[in-house]
Amino acid sequence: MVKNWVRPAKTIEIREYAMRIRRLLGYKDTDFIYAPKLYDDLSKVLSDQGLNFDYIVMPDEDEIFENNEEAFTDMRTGTIYIKESVMEKACRRSFNRASFTLVHELGHYFLHYIQEDARLTMVSEEVQVQIYCDPEWQANIFASEFLMPFEICKDLVPIEIRKQYHVSTQASEVRHNKIKKELEK
Ligand SMILES: [Zn+2]
């Protein structure tokens, strides 16, 4: 088995990058992200800049998806493939993990597709790489930072984070705990 790893990125770097994109798109730090609209906005903004940003919603049973995969980003083209059921959930504006999944894929797009110097390298699974070189870890941090801005969330408890940013209970708890740990350092 092989896995990908990427140029290391610290939480703080991913945070600054996520917040820059958020603010460029005109979101206030207190705004919640409605992921389907975010995708539409990005399609316009990025294609105006000559960047390739496409997303395709596919039937859940399509063989393009691996087992348990909700969405994935093709690193050669930047195209994001999303399961139909995941896009439907994201559109319902309910407090589920679908929006996290969509923004996680944007993390791959911005951190691993757009930034050419963050080239993906394949390593054997036996090779120990630092967690911050793991593209999945980086994309999760991106989603968390983008959906739930640090400066606001550091003063909120999980239920407030959940209400403010329409995220799942689990996402709000993970966010709260990570911020607490970071502030204790
Ligand atoms: Zn991923």
Side-chain angles (χ1 to χ4, degrees):
M1 278 292 283
V2 290
K3 60 184 177 185
N4 292 319
W5 69 286
V6 292
R7 186 175 62 98
K10 292 191 189 127
T11 299
I12 186 81
E13 292 167 353
I14 299 173
R15 173 176 304 154
E16 280 165 11
Y17 189 56
M19 291 309 291
R20 217 165 50 228
I21 297 168
R22 220 186 126 98
R23 287 168 185 157
L24 269 175
L25 290 167
Y27 289 103
K28 292 196 290 284
D29 292 2
T30 48
D31 287 343
F32 99 92
I33 302 292
Y34 180 50
K37 181 172 186 304
L38 171 66
Y39 266 55
D40 281 345
D41 290 348
L42 278 173
S43 294
K44 286 183 210 110
V45 172
L46 294 170
S47 70
D48 285 352
Q49 296 194 14
L51 289 166
N52 183 42
F53 178 80
D54 279 317
Y55 66 94
I56 304 175
V57 180
M58 306 277 284
D60 285 20
E61 55 282 0
D62 196 285
E63 60 194 23
I64 200 162
F65 299 107
E66 284 176 24
N67 281 347
N68 301 324
E69 196 172 45
E70 297 179 314
F72 77 94
T73 303
D74 184 329
M75 294 302 169
R76 290 160 306 146
T77 60
T79 302
I80 299 175
Y81 294 84
I82 305 155
K83 273 188 179 171
E84 201 169 34
S85 64
V86 173
M87 187 51 104
E88 270 170 23
K89 276 185 206 146
C91 288
R92 263 185 247 141
R93 293 174 187 261
S94 51
F95 296 49
N96 55 51
R97 63 169 273 114
S99 55
F100 194 93
T101 302
L102 293 191
V103 181
H104 171 104
E105 294 309 321
L106 289 182
H108 285 308
Y109 178 84
F110 283 112
L111 296 170
H112 310 136
Y113 171 70
I114 291 278
Q115 299 198 61
E116 286 165 34
D117 60 338
R119 72 204 146 78
L120 290 167
T121 310
M122 304 297 261
V123 292
S124 150
E125 208 148 75
E126 286 98 68
V127 176
Q128 280 286 318
V129 291
Q130 300 285 5
I131 190 163
Y132 46 82
C133 297
D134 179 346
E136 294 313 315
W137 179 85
Q138 292 186 359
N140 279 337
I141 296 292
F142 182 90
S144 178
E145 297 290 342
F146 195 93
L147 289 168
M148 299 167 274
F150 177 84
E151 284 303 321
I152 306 293
C153 290
K154 68 180 171 50
D155 300 318
L156 303 178
V157 296
I159 184 70
E160 292 169 326
I161 295 175
R162 179 168 153 78
K163 281 188 185 154
Q164 179 88 34
Y165 296 109
H166 299 206
V167 294
S168 70
T169 304
Q170 199 203 357
S172 67
E173 283 168 358
V174 170
R175 184 66 173 138
H176 179 74
N177 291 337
K178 280 212 175 133
I179 289 177
K180 220 170 99 188
K181 266 194 203 151
E182 189 177 326
L183 295 176
E184 276 166 5
K185 270 184 198 163

